Amino acid sequence: MGEFRLAVLEGVLERITYANEENGYTVARVDTGRGAGELLTVVGALLGAQPGESLRMEGRWGSHPQYGKQFTVENYTTVLPATIQGIRRYLGSGLIKGVGPRIADRIVEHFGTDTLDVIEQDPKRLIEVPGLGPKRTKKIAMAWEQQKAIKEVMVFLQGVGVSTSVAVRIYKEYGDASISVVRNQPYRLAADVWGIGFLTADRIAQAVGIPHDSPDRAKAGLQYALSQATDGGNCFLPQERLIADAVKLLQVDSGLVIDCLAELVEEEGVVRERVPDPEGGEPIQAVYLVPFHRAEISLSAQVLRLLRGPEDRMPAFRDVAWDKALAWLGDRTGAELAPEQEQAVRLALTEKVAVLTGGPGCGKSFTVKSVVTLAKAKGAKVVLAAPTGRAAKRLAELTDAEASTVHRLLELKPGGDAAYDRDRPLDADLVVVDEASMLDLILANKLVKAVPPGAHLLFVGDVDQLPSVGAGEVLRDLLADGSPVPAVRLTRIFRQAQQSGVVTNAHRINSGVPPIIQGLPDFFLFAEEDTEAAGRLTVDIVARRIPARFGLDPRRDVQVLAPMHRGPAGAGTLNGLLQQAVTPARPDLPERRFGGRVFRVGDKVTQIRNNYEKGANGVFNGTVGVVTALSVEEQRLTVRTDEDEEVDYDFDELDELAHAYAVTIHRSQGSEYPAVVIPVTTGAWMMLQRNLLYTAVTRAKRLVVLVGSRRALGQAVRTVSAGRRFTALDHRLRGALRGVEPAREGGR
C-alpha cells in the first residue's frame, strides 16, 4: 500500500459545535475564506483551539451521510492570520488579556494588515490608536510576549502529544524552563502540575525517549499507584497489592518494581510498616505515601492526648446537678430530651472527645443545639465547624451561633498549611464538628491538632453515609470496636419525623428494606427501564414538572444526584441536557467554551480541586456556586459561591470548574437541598450500593424523586458496600500498633 499524503486545509475556526473532553474529539465549523459565508465541517482532535484562531490543519477529506463534505483533522497548528478580517477576529477572540472585540476593531482600523507586525516588532506604536493609553499599550505588549513564549512551548508540547490546556498549565508552573523539564524530567509533571497524572507524564516520557524500564519510571509508577489508592479512599496499600498494581500499570517485571520500592523507602518517598490484617490474618506490610502515614500517627496521638490530658476547660460540668441543668434546658428549648439524647449531651460536656451518630429524624440536631446552649450558659467559648459551606450554614442556623467551614476555621494558607495548629491552638473550650463522615484523614488531622489541651471535641455525623471523598474513614475508625473514644448512637425516630416519607424511606433503605414508592406526598419513583430515556425524563422532571407542581426553582432548589459521572444518565450527560433546559444560550448572554464545556452567566458550577490560592482561604473541592459575570475582554469569569464569596477565574483556569446541575452522589456529601432527583439505572449497576442510595436520599429536605429501573433500585437496597478502606487509624487508637513500631522504614 502506498503512503497516503495528508491534505492541508487553512481556515478560521468559527465555532465548536461538539467537543468531548475525555478524548478531545471535536466537531467544528471553519471559514475557509471562500466567501458567501460558507462554513465547512471539520472533525478530529482540535481541543484547545479557540474560535477566532486561524488554523493550518492536516488531514483527509471525506463525506458524512447527514452533514455532507467534511475534513478529518489528524493534526493542526495555529497560524497568524493574514487578512484584515482574520486579524480582527484573532485579536477580538479574547486571546490577549485586555483586548476585546471593541479595542481589536480600533487597532485593526488604524494599522490594517500590518497590525500583527506592529504588535510584534514595535508595540510602542499602539499608543497611536485613539483611546489606548500607555498603560494598556504596555499590558498588550506584555500579554503578546507571554503568548509568544507559550506558543513556542506549545508547539514543542503538541509535538509530544500534550493538549493545549495542559500545555498552558505546564507553562504556568515552569515558565521558560518548561521545555527542559519536559525533556529531562517528565515524571516531575505528575507531581507538580494539577491535571497531569502518571499516564500523561508517561506518554510524554515515551515521546522524549525515556526507556520503558527506567527506575525513574518505575518509582513514578509506584507513587502513582499509591496516589490512585488514596484517591480511592485508602490510606495505604498492602505491599503485595501495590506491587501487583504497579506491574500491571508499568508492564515491567516484578523484580524491577520490588527493587524500586526498596529504593523509594530508602529515599523516604514512601513508608513501610507492619499493621494488623483487616481480615484478621497475619500482620501485613503496609506501604504509605509519607503525608498519609504522618497524618495517621499524628491524628491518633492527638485524639489520645486530648482524651487523657489532665486539663479541663469546662470543669463546671464535672459535678453539675444534671436534673436541674436538663430542667433548665427544657424550659429554654421548650422540648425534653429523650434518654439517649440526654446521654449524648452529658458525654459531650464531661468527656474531652466524644462522637454522636445517628440517621435522619433521630434528633442529632436538637442534641447539638442542647450541648451548645448548656456550654454557653456556663460561659464556655464554643467553636462550630463543618466540612462544607452549606453544612456550616445549617449548623449556624440551628445553634444561633457562628459556624464556619473547617478550612476557614483553621485559616488554611497556600500549600495547605493551617494558621492554627499545636503551637497556635484555637481559642475554644468546646469544638463541635458536624457532618463528620466527610472528614478525611488529612483534614481531620489538621483540625484535631488545632484543638487546645483541655478543650472538648464533639464529632457529629451519620456513619452509615458514604465515607469521605478523601482518604480514610475517620468517623468509622473513631466508632470502631475497642475505640477509646466514647460515643452515642441515636436510633429512635421522633414522631414528627415519622410523617416524612423521606426520613422513613432513608431508614428503610439503610436497613435493607425497599422504600415505599406509592401514596407518599414527598417520595416518588418514575419507572423507566431504558437508561437513555431515564436521563431525558430526569431533565423533564427537574426543569418542568417539579417547578410546576411544587413551585421550586430548578437551579436553586432542585439537585440531580447521579450514582456515576459517565453514561447516558450520568452526571456528565445530564449536566449538558440540564444546562440546555435551565440556562440555554441566548444572544445577550455572554458565554465561554472550554474543552467540552460551555460556561454561561447563570450556570450552576462546582470547584473540582482544592485551590488554596483562590478566595479568602482557598476554594475547595465540592464548593458550589453560580456564575455571576463573564468578560471576554478581561478573560475572566466570576462565581458567587454558596459561602457568599465572589471568586474570579481566568479563562485558562476553567478546568477547575464543572457544571453542577447534576453532581455525583459522592460530591453531594454534607449538602442539603429542598428537592433531590436521583437517576437509578441498570447502567450504573457497579455503583449501586446501599450507602450510596442512603446518602443521596438523606440530602433531601422535602422531596425525593427516583427515576429509573425497579430492578436497579432493588440492587442498590440489597448491596452492602464491599469491604473497608485500608486504614490503620482504628488500630492506632487502640494502641494495637505500639508493638510493631520498630518495623517501620522510611519517611521519618
Side-chain angles (χ1 to χ4, degrees), residues 545-572:
R545 299 191 198 193
I546 290 180
R549 179 158 170 195
F550 295 95
L552 295 172
D553 178 307
R555 189 184 286 118
R556 197 183 53 238
D557 303 326
V558 186
Q559 184 61 53
V560 175
L561 300 180
M564 52 198 277
H565 185 75
R566 293 187 175 176

PDB file of all heavy atoms in Angstrom, residues 545-572:
ATOM      1  N   ARG A 545     -41.539  19.563  35.594  1.00  0.00           N
ATOM      2  CA  ARG A 545     -42.589  19.011  36.463  1.00  0.00           C
ATOM      3  C   ARG A 545     -42.495  19.475  37.912  1.00  0.00           C
ATOM      4  O   ARG A 545     -43.492  19.836  38.513  1.00  0.00           O
ATOM      5  CB  ARG A 545     -42.556  17.481  36.415  1.00  0.00           C
ATOM      6  CG  ARG A 545     -42.812  16.951  35.011  1.00  0.00           C
ATOM      7  CD  ARG A 545     -43.036  15.461  35.064  1.00  0.00           C
ATOM      8  NE  ARG A 545     -42.863  14.855  33.756  1.00  0.00           N
ATOM      9  CZ  ARG A 545     -43.240  13.605  33.475  1.00  0.00           C
ATOM     10  NH1 ARG A 545     -43.789  12.853  34.413  1.00  0.00           N
ATOM     11  NH2 ARG A 545     -43.059  13.117  32.269  1.00  0.00           N
ATOM     12  N   ILE A 546     -41.290  19.435  38.502  1.00  0.00           N
ATOM     13  CA  ILE A 546     -41.167  19.857  39.909  1.00  0.00           C
ATOM     14  C   ILE A 546     -41.518  21.345  40.057  1.00  0.00           C
ATOM     15  O   ILE A 546     -42.286  21.706  40.940  1.00  0.00           O
ATOM     16  CB  ILE A 546     -39.766  19.527  40.476  1.00  0.00           C
ATOM     17  CG1 ILE A 546     -39.626  18.012  40.641  1.00  0.00           C
ATOM     18  CG2 ILE A 546     -39.531  20.222  41.811  1.00  0.00           C
ATOM     19  CD1 ILE A 546     -38.287  17.543  41.183  1.00  0.00           C
ATOM     20  N   PRO A 547     -40.978  22.239  39.173  1.00  0.00           N
ATOM     21  CA  PRO A 547     -41.371  23.650  39.302  1.00  0.00           C
ATOM     22  C   PRO A 547     -42.892  23.838  39.194  1.00  0.00           C
ATOM     23  O   PRO A 547     -43.483  24.602  39.948  1.00  0.00           O
ATOM     24  CB  PRO A 547     -40.643  24.335  38.140  1.00  0.00           C
ATOM     25  CG  PRO A 547     -39.455  23.459  37.882  1.00  0.00           C
ATOM     26  CD  PRO A 547     -39.914  22.057  38.167  1.00  0.00           C
ATOM     27  N   ALA A 548     -43.539  23.108  38.268  1.00  0.00           N
ATOM     28  CA  ALA A 548     -44.981  23.276  38.068  1.00  0.00           C
ATOM     29  C   ALA A 548     -45.771  22.787  39.279  1.00  0.00           C
ATOM     30  O   ALA A 548     -46.711  23.432  39.724  1.00  0.00           O
ATOM     31  CB  ALA A 548     -45.421  22.528  36.810  1.00  0.00           C
ATOM     32  N   ARG A 549     -45.371  21.639  39.846  1.00  0.00           N
ATOM     33  CA  ARG A 549     -46.190  21.060  40.908  1.00  0.00           C
ATOM     34  C   ARG A 549     -45.837  21.587  42.299  1.00  0.00           C
ATOM     35  O   ARG A 549     -46.703  21.732  43.154  1.00  0.00           O
ATOM     36  CB  ARG A 549     -46.045  19.534  40.876  1.00  0.00           C
ATOM     37  CG  ARG A 549     -46.853  18.895  41.971  1.00  0.00           C
ATOM     38  CD  ARG A 549     -47.184  17.462  41.694  1.00  0.00           C
ATOM     39  NE  ARG A 549     -47.754  16.863  42.884  1.00  0.00           N
ATOM     40  CZ  ARG A 549     -47.894  15.571  43.064  1.00  0.00           C
ATOM     41  NH1 ARG A 549     -47.537  14.745  42.111  1.00  0.00           N
ATOM     42  NH2 ARG A 549     -48.414  15.098  44.166  1.00  0.00           N
ATOM     43  N   PHE A 550     -44.539  21.839  42.546  1.00  0.00           N
ATOM     44  CA  PHE A 550     -44.124  22.223  43.902  1.00  0.00           C
ATOM     45  C   PHE A 550     -43.651  23.675  43.996  1.00  0.00           C
ATOM     46  O   PHE A 550     -43.280  24.140  45.065  1.00  0.00           O
ATOM     47  CB  PHE A 550     -43.006  21.299  44.406  1.00  0.00           C
ATOM     48  CG  PHE A 550     -43.445  19.871  44.571  1.00  0.00           C
ATOM     49  CD1 PHE A 550     -43.231  18.940  43.555  1.00  0.00           C
ATOM     50  CD2 PHE A 550     -44.081  19.450  45.739  1.00  0.00           C
ATOM     51  CE1 PHE A 550     -43.640  17.617  43.704  1.00  0.00           C
ATOM     52  CE2 PHE A 550     -44.489  18.131  45.890  1.00  0.00           C
ATOM     53  CZ  PHE A 550     -44.272  17.209  44.877  1.00  0.00           C
ATOM     54  N   GLY A 551     -43.598  24.364  42.839  1.00  0.00           N
ATOM     55  CA  GLY A 551     -43.175  25.763  42.859  1.00  0.00           C
ATOM     56  C   GLY A 551     -41.711  25.958  43.226  1.00  0.00           C
ATOM     57  O   GLY A 551     -41.319  27.007  43.716  1.00  0.00           O
ATOM     58  N   LEU A 552     -40.874  24.934  42.997  1.00  0.00           N
ATOM     59  CA  LEU A 552     -39.446  25.048  43.347  1.00  0.00           C
ATOM     60  C   LEU A 552     -38.651  25.540  42.138  1.00  0.00           C
ATOM     61  O   LEU A 552     -38.980  25.237  40.998  1.00  0.00           O
ATOM     62  CB  LEU A 552     -38.913  23.688  43.813  1.00  0.00           C
ATOM     63  CG  LEU A 552     -39.515  23.150  45.119  1.00  0.00           C
ATOM     64  CD1 LEU A 552     -39.046  21.719  45.365  1.00  0.00           C
ATOM     65  CD2 LEU A 552     -39.130  24.025  46.305  1.00  0.00           C
ATOM     66  N   ASP A 553     -37.579  26.265  42.421  1.00  0.00           N
ATOM     67  CA  ASP A 553     -36.719  26.795  41.361  1.00  0.00           C
ATOM     68  C   ASP A 553     -35.737  25.710  40.923  1.00  0.00           C
ATOM     69  O   ASP A 553     -34.996  25.180  41.751  1.00  0.00           O
ATOM     70  CB  ASP A 553     -35.965  28.005  41.929  1.00  0.00           C
ATOM     71  CG  ASP A 553     -34.994  28.606  40.924  1.00  0.00           C
ATOM     72  OD1 ASP A 553     -34.166  27.852  40.373  1.00  0.00           O
ATOM     73  OD2 ASP A 553     -35.042  29.820  40.707  1.00  0.00           O
ATOM     74  N   PRO A 554     -35.702  25.377  39.613  1.00  0.00           N
ATOM     75  CA  PRO A 554     -34.866  24.232  39.179  1.00  0.00           C
ATOM     76  C   PRO A 554     -33.376  24.438  39.429  1.00  0.00           C
ATOM     77  O   PRO A 554     -32.636  23.487  39.607  1.00  0.00           O
ATOM     78  CB  PRO A 554     -35.158  24.108  37.681  1.00  0.00           C
ATOM     79  CG  PRO A 554     -35.770  25.408  37.277  1.00  0.00           C
ATOM     80  CD  PRO A 554     -36.448  25.976  38.491  1.00  0.00           C
ATOM     81  N   ARG A 555     -32.930  25.721  39.450  1.00  0.00           N
ATOM     82  CA  ARG A 555     -31.499  25.955  39.655  1.00  0.00           C
ATOM     83  C   ARG A 555     -31.149  25.985  41.144  1.00  0.00           C
ATOM     84  O   ARG A 555     -30.182  25.422  41.584  1.00  0.00           O
ATOM     85  CB  ARG A 555     -31.092  27.263  38.983  1.00  0.00           C
ATOM     86  CG  ARG A 555     -29.596  27.493  38.938  1.00  0.00           C
ATOM     87  CD  ARG A 555     -29.229  28.835  38.357  1.00  0.00           C
ATOM     88  NE  ARG A 555     -29.413  28.865  36.912  1.00  0.00           N
ATOM     89  CZ  ARG A 555     -30.256  29.682  36.299  1.00  0.00           C
ATOM     90  NH1 ARG A 555     -30.986  30.536  36.979  1.00  0.00           N
ATOM     91  NH2 ARG A 555     -30.375  29.660  34.985  1.00  0.00           N
ATOM     92  N   ARG A 556     -31.995  26.652  41.927  1.00  0.00           N
ATOM     93  CA  ARG A 556     -31.656  26.888  43.327  1.00  0.00           C
ATOM     94  C   ARG A 556     -32.080  25.746  44.250  1.00  0.00           C
ATOM     95  O   ARG A 556     -31.404  25.409  45.209  1.00  0.00           O
ATOM     96  CB  ARG A 556     -32.308  28.199  43.775  1.00  0.00           C
ATOM     97  CG  ARG A 556     -31.738  28.795  45.057  1.00  0.00           C
ATOM     98  CD  ARG A 556     -32.475  30.055  45.485  1.00  0.00           C
ATOM     99  NE  ARG A 556     -33.920  29.850  45.569  1.00  0.00           N
ATOM    100  CZ  ARG A 556     -34.816  30.552  44.876  1.00  0.00           C
ATOM    101  NH1 ARG A 556     -34.419  31.505  44.061  1.00  0.00           N
ATOM    102  NH2 ARG A 556     -36.107  30.317  44.993  1.00  0.00           N
ATOM    103  N   ASP A 557     -33.272  25.161  43.972  1.00  0.00           N
ATOM    104  CA  ASP A 557     -33.890  24.247  44.950  1.00  0.00           C
ATOM    105  C   ASP A 557     -33.793  22.770  44.593  1.00  0.00           C
ATOM    106  O   ASP A 557     -34.060  21.917  45.426  1.00  0.00           O
ATOM    107  CB  ASP A 557     -35.380  24.584  45.119  1.00  0.00           C
ATOM    108  CG  ASP A 557     -35.610  26.031  45.535  1.00  0.00           C
ATOM    109  OD1 ASP A 557     -34.761  26.555  46.272  1.00  0.00           O
ATOM    110  OD2 ASP A 557     -36.622  26.625  45.119  1.00  0.00           O
ATOM    111  N   VAL A 558     -33.490  22.475  43.334  1.00  0.00           N
ATOM    112  CA  VAL A 558     -33.524  21.069  42.905  1.00  0.00           C
ATOM    113  C   VAL A 558     -32.107  20.623  42.543  1.00  0.00           C
ATOM    114  O   VAL A 558     -31.392  21.338  41.837  1.00  0.00           O
ATOM    115  CB  VAL A 558     -34.442  20.886  41.671  1.00  0.00           C
ATOM    116  CG1 VAL A 558     -34.588  19.411  41.335  1.00  0.00           C
ATOM    117  CG2 VAL A 558     -35.814  21.515  41.932  1.00  0.00           C
ATOM    118  N   GLN A 559     -31.706  19.455  43.028  1.00  0.00           N
ATOM    119  CA  GLN A 559     -30.373  18.950  42.697  1.00  0.00           C
ATOM    120  C   GLN A 559     -30.490  17.522  42.172  1.00  0.00           C
ATOM    121  O   GLN A 559     -31.120  16.679  42.791  1.00  0.00           O
ATOM    122  CB  GLN A 559     -29.471  18.956  43.940  1.00  0.00           C
ATOM    123  CG  GLN A 559     -28.048  18.537  43.659  1.00  0.00           C
ATOM    124  CD  GLN A 559     -27.329  19.459  42.671  1.00  0.00           C
ATOM    125  OE1 GLN A 559     -27.282  20.657  42.846  1.00  0.00           O
ATOM    126  NE2 GLN A 559     -26.783  18.884  41.608  1.00  0.00           N
ATOM    127  N   VAL A 560     -29.872  17.284  41.006  1.00  0.00           N
ATOM    128  CA  VAL A 560     -29.800  15.916  40.484  1.00  0.00           C
ATOM    129  C   VAL A 560     -28.554  15.253  41.067  1.00  0.00           C
ATOM    130  O   VAL A 560     -27.459  15.816  41.016  1.00  0.00           O
ATOM    131  CB  VAL A 560     -29.716  15.912  38.941  1.00  0.00           C
ATOM    132  CG1 VAL A 560     -29.515  14.490  38.427  1.00  0.00           C
ATOM    133  CG2 VAL A 560     -30.981  16.517  38.354  1.00  0.00           C
ATOM    134  N   LEU A 561     -28.745  14.062  41.652  1.00  0.00           N
ATOM    135  CA  LEU A 561     -27.622  13.306  42.229  1.00  0.00           C
ATOM    136  C   LEU A 561     -27.517  11.978  41.491  1.00  0.00           C
ATOM    137  O   LEU A 561     -28.406  11.135  41.588  1.00  0.00           O
ATOM    138  CB  LEU A 561     -27.876  13.049  43.727  1.00  0.00           C
ATOM    139  CG  LEU A 561     -28.040  14.292  44.602  1.00  0.00           C
ATOM    140  CD1 LEU A 561     -28.277  13.888  46.050  1.00  0.00           C
ATOM    141  CD2 LEU A 561     -26.800  15.177  44.515  1.00  0.00           C
ATOM    142  N   ALA A 562     -26.432  11.810  40.743  1.00  0.00           N
ATOM    143  CA  ALA A 562     -26.284  10.601  39.930  1.00  0.00           C
ATOM    144  C   ALA A 562     -25.265   9.661  40.565  1.00  0.00           C
ATOM    145  O   ALA A 562     -24.270  10.120  41.117  1.00  0.00           O
ATOM    146  CB  ALA A 562     -25.834  10.986  38.522  1.00  0.00           C
ATOM    147  N   PRO A 563     -25.506   8.342  40.480  1.00  0.00           N
ATOM    148  CA  PRO A 563     -24.538   7.396  41.045  1.00  0.00           C
ATOM    149  C   PRO A 563     -23.158   7.501  40.405  1.00  0.00           C
ATOM    150  O   PRO A 563     -22.157   7.255  41.046  1.00  0.00           O
ATOM    151  CB  PRO A 563     -25.161   6.025  40.756  1.00  0.00           C
ATOM    152  CG  PRO A 563     -26.617   6.290  40.647  1.00  0.00           C
ATOM    153  CD  PRO A 563     -26.734   7.656  40.021  1.00  0.00           C
ATOM    154  N   MET A 564     -23.118   7.873  39.096  1.00  0.00           N
ATOM    155  CA  MET A 564     -21.801   7.955  38.466  1.00  0.00           C
ATOM    156  C   MET A 564     -21.734   9.128  37.495  1.00  0.00           C
ATOM    157  O   MET A 564     -22.744   9.753  37.196  1.00  0.00           O
ATOM    158  CB  MET A 564     -21.439   6.641  37.782  1.00  0.00           C
ATOM    159  CG  MET A 564     -22.464   6.105  36.824  1.00  0.00           C
ATOM    160  SD  MET A 564     -22.170   4.356  36.497  1.00  0.00           S
ATOM    161  CE  MET A 564     -20.913   4.479  35.244  1.00  0.00           C
ATOM    162  N   HIS A 565     -20.522   9.415  37.012  1.00  0.00           N
ATOM    163  CA  HIS A 565     -20.334  10.557  36.123  1.00  0.00           C
ATOM    164  C   HIS A 565     -20.644  10.192  34.675  1.00  0.00           C
ATOM    165  O   HIS A 565     -21.214  10.965  33.928  1.00  0.00           O
ATOM    166  CB  HIS A 565     -18.889  11.060  36.229  1.00  0.00           C
ATOM    167  CG  HIS A 565     -18.665  12.304  35.420  1.00  0.00           C
ATOM    168  ND1 HIS A 565     -19.134  13.538  35.829  1.00  0.00           N
ATOM    169  CD2 HIS A 565     -18.083  12.491  34.215  1.00  0.00           C
ATOM    170  CE1 HIS A 565     -18.843  14.434  34.901  1.00  0.00           C
ATOM    171  NE2 HIS A 565     -18.199  13.834  33.929  1.00  0.00           N
ATOM    172  N   ARG A 566     -20.282   8.953  34.291  1.00  0.00           N
ATOM    173  CA  ARG A 566     -20.389   8.567  32.878  1.00  0.00           C
ATOM    174  C   ARG A 566     -21.746   7.975  32.546  1.00  0.00           C
ATOM    175  O   ARG A 566     -22.501   7.622  33.431  1.00  0.00           O
ATOM    176  CB  ARG A 566     -19.312   7.537  32.554  1.00  0.00           C
ATOM    177  CG  ARG A 566     -17.963   8.172  32.654  1.00  0.00           C
ATOM    178  CD  ARG A 566     -16.871   7.270  32.202  1.00  0.00           C
ATOM    179  NE  ARG A 566     -15.623   8.045  32.224  1.00  0.00           N
ATOM    180  CZ  ARG A 566     -14.448   7.554  31.957  1.00  0.00           C
ATOM    181  NH1 ARG A 566     -14.321   6.301  31.647  1.00  0.00           N
ATOM    182  NH2 ARG A 566     -13.375   8.314  31.996  1.00  0.00           N
ATOM    183  N   GLY A 567     -21.981   7.816  31.244  1.00  0.00           N
ATOM    184  CA  GLY A 567     -23.194   7.130  30.795  1.00  0.00           C
ATOM    185  C   GLY A 567     -24.335   8.105  30.529  1.00  0.00           C
ATOM    186  O   GLY A 567     -24.294   9.260  30.939  1.00  0.00           O
ATOM    187  N   PRO A 568     -25.372   7.616  29.810  1.00  0.00           N
ATOM    188  CA  PRO A 568     -26.476   8.481  29.370  1.00  0.00           C
ATOM    189  C   PRO A 568     -27.291   9.074  30.520  1.00  0.00           C
ATOM    190  O   PRO A 568     -27.975  10.072  30.342  1.00  0.00           O
ATOM    191  CB  PRO A 568     -27.359   7.554  28.517  1.00  0.00           C
ATOM    192  CG  PRO A 568     -26.726   6.217  28.519  1.00  0.00           C
ATOM    193  CD  PRO A 568     -25.484   6.223  29.328  1.00  0.00           C
ATOM    194  N   ALA A 569     -27.243   8.444  31.713  1.00  0.00           N
ATOM    195  CA  ALA A 569     -27.931   9.045  32.865  1.00  0.00           C
ATOM    196  C   ALA A 569     -26.910   9.423  33.931  1.00  0.00           C
ATOM    197  O   ALA A 569     -27.222   9.511  35.111  1.00  0.00           O
ATOM    198  CB  ALA A 569     -28.980   8.090  33.431  1.00  0.00           C
ATOM    199  N   GLY A 570     -25.653   9.637  33.499  1.00  0.00           N
ATOM    200  CA  GLY A 570     -24.593  10.039  34.434  1.00  0.00           C
ATOM    201  C   GLY A 570     -24.559  11.554  34.565  1.00  0.00           C
ATOM    202  O   GLY A 570     -25.145  12.281  33.751  1.00  0.00           O
ATOM    203  N   ALA A 571     -23.830  12.033  35.568  1.00  0.00           N
ATOM    204  CA  ALA A 571     -23.803  13.477  35.844  1.00  0.00           C
ATOM    205  C   ALA A 571     -23.302  14.275  34.632  1.00  0.00           C
ATOM    206  O   ALA A 571     -23.800  15.363  34.352  1.00  0.00           O
ATOM    207  CB  ALA A 571     -22.932  13.748  37.073  1.00  0.00           C
ATOM    208  N   GLY A 572     -22.327  13.727  33.891  1.00  0.00           N
ATOM    209  CA  GLY A 572     -21.761  14.452  32.742  1.00  0.00           C
ATOM    210  C   GLY A 572     -22.808  14.783  31.686  1.00  0.00           C
ATOM    211  O   GLY A 572     -23.006  15.942  31.313  1.00  0.00           O
TER     212      GLY A 572
END
